């Protein structure tokens, strides 16, 4: 009722969140309970440093649940400069009080000016000072966006301010939800994971939640069968583009980018970059932008599934092995990668799943 959702929509939201977390459907009641416990809403301090505010814009476009639902019902957003009503001395006092009490989630967007700290100041303090203050008593530090996670556009050559991501700037352990901007649909499951298990999720070596970022764009891309069969777009405006062939030769960075974009989609699940007809630009990866600064430059030597250990490339496959068999190999590899990724509920043994609860029944129709 608080979220102005009927039960079916609410349970659907919980089911979608369970799938995103890699949990089986039997976890839905626990997820519903975690979201319903208003009294235990974790306090959140959200601070912005060197960035374009695209991350907050993206968060503000969250549809299901809406930004208002998240801010008013799921978390307790105690400080966010762009959307809070308080300002000046009152806002600074609220901030100090929440930090003093500890146990909050620190959400950070934007890079930290390490080389020239004075390049980024808020209320008389540098971003370096503020981020140290902010993270000292935090229960968890969530970096939203590639800038907070890895430095992003501010850290691009020649990086005049010596900008760095939060972990590199102060050595703090961070949970990174990268992207330029990040997908709001990736932020909520990360917070729900914390509410559900009272700990941060397992992370990859770049600090990203494994349940979201373990696979690459290329592993789940709807154009993957074209890649495996050697069918590529080589020119925009061509027949191949109309046929929605693979964008590898137009510079798609999907084979080297870890993200569930093809599954999560964007803008209330309407589309995503490759579906729109442009290759992935790799915005979820460390060292974005320098690493992928030419968006239309083809990646070299992308391995072909089913040919492990064989020195090959998409160029080679495209010119010499365009067979239906190869498409089959590729599809098999994708489906194999997708199998066995759902974590069972502790009460689920090897036998049939537990009886459905009232909550889980509500979403099936
Ligand atoms: Fe960076 Fe976010 Fe790109 Fe912009 O806050 S990830 S420049 S979308 O706004 O930090
Ligand atoms: Fe999709 Fe890009 Fe991989 Fe082609 S190269 S299959 S467009 S992710």
């Amino acid at each position: 009722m608080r979220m102005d959702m009927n039960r079916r929509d609410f349970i659907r939201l919980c089911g979608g969140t369970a799938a995103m977390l890699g949990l089986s459907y039997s976890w839905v009641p626990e997820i519903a309970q975690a979201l319903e416990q208003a009294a235990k809403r974790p306090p959140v301090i959200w601070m912005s440093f060197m960035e374009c505010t695209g991350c907050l814009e993206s968060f503000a476009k969250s549809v299901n649940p809406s930004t208002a639902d998240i801010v008013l019902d799921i978390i307790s957003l105690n400080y966010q400069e762009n959307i809070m009503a308080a300002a000046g001395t009152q806002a600074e006092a609220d901030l100090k009080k929440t930090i003093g009490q500890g146990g909050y989630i620190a959400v950070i967007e934007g890079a930290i000016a390490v080389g020239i700290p004075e390049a980024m100041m808020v209320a008389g303090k540098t971003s370096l000072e503020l981020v140290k203050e902010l993270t000292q008593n935090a229960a968890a530090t969530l970096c939203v966006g590639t800038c907070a996670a890895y430095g992003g556009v501010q850290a691009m050559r020649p990086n005049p301010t010596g900008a760095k991501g939060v972990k590199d700037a102060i050595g703090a352990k961070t949970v990174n939800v990268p992207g330029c901007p990040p997908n709001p649909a990736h932020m909520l499951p990360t917070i729900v994971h914390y509410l559900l298990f009272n700990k941060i999720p397992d992370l990859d070596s770049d600090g990203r939640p494994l349940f979201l970022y373990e696979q690459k764009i290329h592993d789940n891309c709807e154009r993957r069968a074209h890649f495996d069969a050697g069918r590529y777009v080589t020119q925009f405006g061509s027949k191949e583009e109309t046929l929605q062939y693979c964008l590898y030769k137009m510079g798609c960075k999907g084979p080297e980018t870890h993200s569930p974009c093809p599954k999560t989609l964007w803008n209330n699940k309407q589309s995503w970059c490759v579906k729109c007809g442009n290759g992935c630009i790799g915005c979820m990866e460390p060292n974005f932008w320098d690493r992928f600064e030419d968006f239309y430059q083809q990646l070299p030597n992308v391995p072909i599934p089913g040919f492990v250990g064989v020195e090959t490339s998409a160029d080679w496959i495209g010119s010499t092995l365009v067979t239906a068999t190869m498409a089959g190999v590729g599809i098999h590899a994708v489906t194999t990668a997708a199998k066995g990724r759902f974590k069972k509920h502790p009460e689920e043994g090897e036998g049939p799943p537990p009886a459905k609860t009232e909550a889980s029944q509500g979403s099936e129709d």
Side-chain angles (χ1 to χ4, degrees):
M1 284 168 67
R2 275 186 296 105
M3 295 170 78
D4 196 24
M5 264 185 204
N6 64 37
R7 183 145 189 88
R8 181 177 297 181
D9 286 344
F10 180 63
I11 295 302
R12 190 170 288 141
L13 164 70
C14 297
T17 305
M20 189 74 85
L21 287 165
L23 300 174
S24 73
Y25 205 78
S26 56
W27 283 88
V28 164
E30 272 97 335
I31 291 174
Q33 193 180 19
L35 291 175
E36 283 169 349
Q37 285 178 339
K40 293 187 182 170
R41 285 184 303 154
V44 172
I45 304 174
W46 180 312
M47 272 203 178
S48 308
F49 298 115
M50 295 200 294
E51 40 84 33
C52 76
T53 312
C55 301
L56 183 70
E57 281 283 335
S58 184
F59 175 68
K61 297 287 185 292
S62 184
V63 176
N64 209 352
S66 72
T67 312
D69 291 337
I70 298 173
V71 169
L72 299 175
D73 294 316
I74 298 175
I75 61 172
S76 172
L77 189 60
N78 290 20
Y79 186 95
Q80 208 299 328
E81 288 149 1
N82 301 82
I83 60 176
M84 66 188 180
T89 311
Q90 181 60 51
E92 296 309 308
D94 289 347
L95 176 62
K96 204 171 167 187
K97 186 175 164 198
T98 307
I99 291 178
Q101 288 170 341
Y104 52 89
I105 299 175
V107 177
I108 301 173
E109 60 171 325
I112 310 302
V114 177
I116 305 178
E118 297 75 23
M120 171 72 216
M121 300 190 72
V122 180
K125 291 182 182 171
T126 68
S127 57
L128 198 52
E129 291 169 329
L130 284 165
V131 78
K132 284 178 186 165
E133 275 180 23
L134 175 60
T135 53
Q136 63 186 347
N137 284 342
T141 299
L142 179 63
C143 289
V144 292
T146 298
C147 300
Y150 312 123
V153 67
Q154 285 70 221
M156 188 181 182
R157 281 189 301 265
N159 192 357
T161 62
K164 292 186 176 183
V166 173
K167 184 181 174 210
D168 286 346
I170 61 169
K173 183 170 178 78
T174 62
V175 179
N176 297 330
V177 180
C180 190
N183 193 332
H186 298 167
M187 298 181 204
L188 180 66
T190 306
I191 292 173
V192 169
H193 185 287
Y194 179 77
L195 297 179
L196 202 56
F197 300 112
N198 204 26
K199 66 181 179 87
I200 63 172
D202 292 339
L203 306 174
D204 70 10
S205 57
D206 294 311
R208 297 171 288 202
L210 274 172
F211 73 82
L212 285 170
Y213 295 91
E214 187 172 18
Q215 291 185 302
K216 294 178 177 175
I217 296 266
H218 195 57
D219 295 329
N220 296 295
C221 180
E222 63 224 33
R223 301 193 187 201
R224 177 60 183 269
H226 291 308
F227 174 89
D228 292 333
R231 295 189 290 262
Y232 304 107
V233 178
T234 54
Q235 195 179 353
F236 287 127
S238 62
K239 186 178 100 197
E240 288 75 17
E241 186 195 10
T242 310
L243 292 168
Q244 300 186 8
Y245 283 180
C246 169
L247 294 160
Y248 171 73
K249 293 192 176 184
M250 301 305 288
C252 180
K253 307 299 185 283
E256 294 190 6
T257 301
H258 296 80
S259 172
C261 291
K263 293 188 290 185
T264 315
L265 307 176
W266 287 73
N267 298 328
N268 197 21
K269 289 197 167 291
Q270 291 196 36
S271 192
W272 68 292
C273 303
V274 167
K275 189 174 180 186
C276 291
N278 200 83
C280 165
I281 61 171
C283 76
M284 313 259 172
E285 287 297 312
N287 206 19
F288 178 77
W289 301 63
D290 284 345
R291 182 174 166 204
F292 299 134
E293 66 188 342
D294 187 340
F295 293 156
Y296 298 99
Q297 178 70 44
Q298 179 184 319
L299 289 171
N301 295 322
V302 173
I304 305 300
F307 284 78
V308 178
V310 177
E311 198 58 43
T312 188
S313 72
D315 272 342
W316 176 80
I317 212 81
S319 60
T320 63
L321 205 68
V322 184
T323 66
T325 310
M326 275 307 298
V329 168
I331 291 164
H332 173 74
V334 174
T335 50
T336 303
K339 278 180 188 167
R341 286 184 36 77
F342 286 92
K343 186 176 174 183
K344 284 188 170 184
H345 190 279
E347 290 176 13
E348 277 181 272
E350 293 307 311
K356 289 188 174 65
T357 64
E358 182 199 344
S360 64
Q361 282 171 349
S363 71
E364 286 199 333
D365 44 358

